Amino acid sequence: MLLNYLKITLAVLQRRKFFTFISLFGISLTLTILVVATAFIDHLIAAGYPEINRDRSLYIWNIKQKDTKNQGQSSGPISFSFINTYVRSLKTPAKIAAVSMPSTINIYLNNHKLNVRYRHTDSNFWDVTSFDFLEGKNYTEQNIANNDYVVVINDYVRDEYVGKGQPAVGKMIEIDNVNYRIIGVVRGCPITRIHVSSDLYFPYNTSKADLKKVELRGNFAAIILPDAPSDIPKIQTEFNVVASKIKVTETGDKWFRPDKLYVSADSYITSFTRQFKGDGESDGLGYFFTIVLGIALLFMSLPAINLVNINMSRIMERASEIGIRKAFGASSKTLVMQFVIENIILTLIGGVIAVFLSLGVIYYLNNSNLIAYIDLSFNWKVFSIAIFVSLLFGLLSGVYPAWRMSKLQVVEALKN
């Protein structure tokens, strides 16, 4: 029985090439966008080079102050002194790293200008991340204690400075009128690794800012690495106790006098979603996933509705064929099954096409340098989503037209 359905379906698809092409184009294009978007989201959220410990790390980078009387609030990155005073007081973590927010600067290498990003970090930064050192090594606590002016550069800066693949360790490089000794070269990472990506990494002792100034807000983030994932709740509880004892400081603004302070040790994704709600109390995860789910449902429903319209047009054009088959005894169940199978086959073929298109797009993005060092990957999770959505589209766009077709009267069908 199923083999007969398949034979009839393949014959129909071959005969009606225009509608077959339109259906396959709509399905494959939609799924290609969905698969590539999923791969990009996975790249943004999941652990990856050089943040391979992201899933088992906690992040503290935003502090919010609220003036409940005047209904005002202000938020921003934490300061280096905040990390030293409060975050480093925690006993449970294995490592606590400090890293500044990225800044940009123009440097001149071999008579041409280069706009690069830079950060200041402590030595623990290299312990909580997993950078590939192409040559040399990272700076240590001893370098910081010695007030050494050293720098770790990525391969992009090295290639621009000394030539592609040429040794750079030990050479001096002038940045903002200061000479630094290159101590290491790392393989670069994409800008989407928000807390760690940079072209230049300086030890914090070289910063021109007054990092000893006692203040809550500043330009830093803390990355906390526990001994084991099971320690994460303990660290969060411990930090909440510490945070509850932080005194809210005056801002010097008579119109903004904060009386509440919100700061948390969060997972990577929560450290961002917490900013969505704006109240400082909610983690924002529910709000974030509601938006994502709504967008996903909208994105999935539009092509499904389009396919329903295409299928309805296709079915109505085949009304006379349906009438003849019903006149020769074909049951509504048989006709419905044929159209459902026909549609599922179309969507599966479209899904397979989408897989190859997605592989091509992902390969292009990874090698086009549109986003330097981006490393999108096509994995089984993305593939499974594509196949599932293909089948879902097949059912959504096939069941309703098939049901409408099964109700068509023989006389009415033969008139068309």
Side-chain angles (χ1 to χ4, degrees):
M1 180 68 73
L2 182 59
L3 185 60
N4 290 333
Y5 282 132
L6 291 174
K7 288 180 179 179
I8 294 172
T9 298
L10 292 175
V12 170
L13 293 178
Q14 185 176 13
R15 188 172 69 250
R16 308 189 67 81
K17 295 179 181 179
F18 176 74
F19 278 106
T20 299
F21 171 78
I22 293 297
S23 298
L24 287 177
F25 177 79
I27 295 168
S28 58
L29 179 62
T30 300
L31 291 179
T32 298
I33 296 173
L34 184 62
V35 170
V36 174
T38 305
F40 193 77
I41 292 172
D42 184 60
H43 167 81
L44 290 176
I45 296 176
Y49 173 82
E51 287 184 280
I52 63 172
N53 295 315
R54 179 185 284 180
D55 293 340
R56 55 186 293 259
S57 297
L58 291 172
Y59 296 80
I60 305 172
W61 63 271
N62 188 76
I63 187 169
K64 180 169 294 185
Q65 296 167 291
K66 293 186 73 173
D67 182 347
T68 56
K69 182 179 179 180
N70 296 314
Q71 300 299 312
Q73 65 179 25
S74 177
S75 64
I78 60 177
S79 68
F80 190 75
S81 65
F82 181 96
I83 296 174
N84 285 339
T85 304
Y86 301 110
V87 184
R88 294 197 195 279
S89 69
L90 302 178
K91 306 300 183 184
T92 311
K95 290 286 184 179
I96 297 173
V99 54
S100 70
M101 297 298 165
S103 300
T104 59
I105 190 173
N106 291 324
I107 60 176
Y108 294 86
L109 302 176
N110 300 325
N111 296 320
H112 72 279
K113 184 173 72 173
L114 204 64
N115 184 260
V116 295
R117 303 168 79 241
Y118 70 91
R119 295 178 187 266
H120 291 93
T121 81
D122 63 2
S123 59
N124 285 345
F125 174 77
W126 306 106
D127 295 323
V128 301
T129 56
S130 298
F131 279 92
D132 292 339
F133 274 82
L134 304 179
E135 57 175 307
K137 60 182 181 180
N138 59 272
Y139 42 81
T140 65
E141 196 61 37
Q142 189 61 53
N143 291 120
I144 294 173
N146 294 340
N147 199 33
D148 293 336
Y149 273 63
V150 293
V151 62
V152 172
I153 65 176
N154 67 7
D155 52 340
Y156 166 68
V157 175
R158 177 201 62 186
D159 294 346
E160 293 291 329
Y161 184 39
V162 298
K164 190 173 182 62
Q166 297 300 310
V169 169
K171 295 183 180 296
M172 302 301 292
I173 182 171
E174 183 179 334
I175 301 169
D176 199 21
N177 299 318
V178 178
N179 288 315
Y180 296 86
R181 177 169 57 87
I182 299 174
I183 195 173
V185 179
V186 295
R187 178 166 65 91
C189 63
I191 195 173
T192 48
R193 309 294 187 206
I194 295 174
H195 288 303
V196 300
S197 66
S198 188
D199 299 306
L200 308 170
Y201 300 89
F202 300 103
Y204 68 82
N205 62 285
T206 64
S207 174
K208 294 181 179 180
D210 183 7
L211 299 183
K212 293 181 180 180
K213 184 178 180 181
V214 178
E215 55 187 349
L216 298 178
R217 296 265 296 275
N219 190 42
F220 274 80
I223 304 176
I224 302 173
L225 183 66
D227 280 313
S230 58
D231 288 339
I232 288 178
K234 300 177 187 176
I235 296 172
Q236 290 176 313
T237 301
E238 186 181 1
F239 181 73
N240 288 339
V241 172
V242 171
S244 66
K245 299 177 182 178
I246 299 174
K247 184 180 179 181
V248 182
T249 57
E250 292 287 340
T251 62
D253 184 351
K254 66 177 182 178
W255 301 110
F256 180 64
R257 296 180 176 179
D259 53 1
K260 279 193 174 183
L261 184 146
Y262 301 94
V263 60
S264 303
D266 293 316
S267 65
Y268 181 80
I269 183 66
T270 306
S271 70
F272 290 99
T273 60
R274 190 176 292 278
Q275 315 309 316
F276 291 166
K277 289 293 286 183
D279 56 11
E281 298 176 357
S282 170
D283 61 15
L285 278 174
Y287 184 73
F288 171 75
F289 285 116
T290 298
I291 293 176
V292 171
L293 181 61
I295 294 174
L297 290 175
L298 178 64
F299 188 81
M300 291 168 59
S301 64
L302 290 177
I305 293 171
N306 183 51
L307 287 174
V308 168
N309 291 331
I310 292 175
N311 285 331
M312 285 300 299
S313 300
R314 182 180 51 160
I315 289 169
M316 294 310 296
E317 283 205 356
R318 294 168 60 186
S320 58
E321 173 193 333
I322 294 167
I324 292 172
R325 292 195 62 193
K326 293 191 76 172
F328 278 89
S331 66
S332 295
K333 179 181 177 181
T334 300
L335 294 171
V336 168
M337 185 61 68
Q338 177 193 326
F339 275 88
V340 169
I341 291 177
E342 184 177 312
N343 224 52
I344 289 177
I345 288 176
L346 271 175
T347 51
L348 285 175
I349 294 174
V352 172
I353 293 173
V355 168
F356 287 102
L357 286 176
S358 300
L359 285 170
V361 172
I362 289 173
Y363 177 83
Y364 171 76
L365 290 175
N366 285 344
N367 293 276
S368 65
N369 209 35
L370 289 175
I371 301 178
Y373 302 109
I374 195 168
D375 52 355
L376 300 182
S377 61
F378 187 90
N379 53 41
W380 283 105
K381 181 166 62 177
V382 176
F383 178 78
S384 299
I385 292 172
I387 295 301
F388 171 77
V389 174
S390 295
L391 292 172
L392 184 62
F393 281 175
L395 292 174
L396 289 176
S397 60
V399 171
Y400 176 70
W403 176 80
R404 284 285 304 273
M405 172 273 299
S406 69
K407 300 300 180 182
L408 204 62
Q409 297 297 319
V410 174
V411 176
E412 182 182 350
L414 291 174
K415 285 180 180 180
N416 294 313

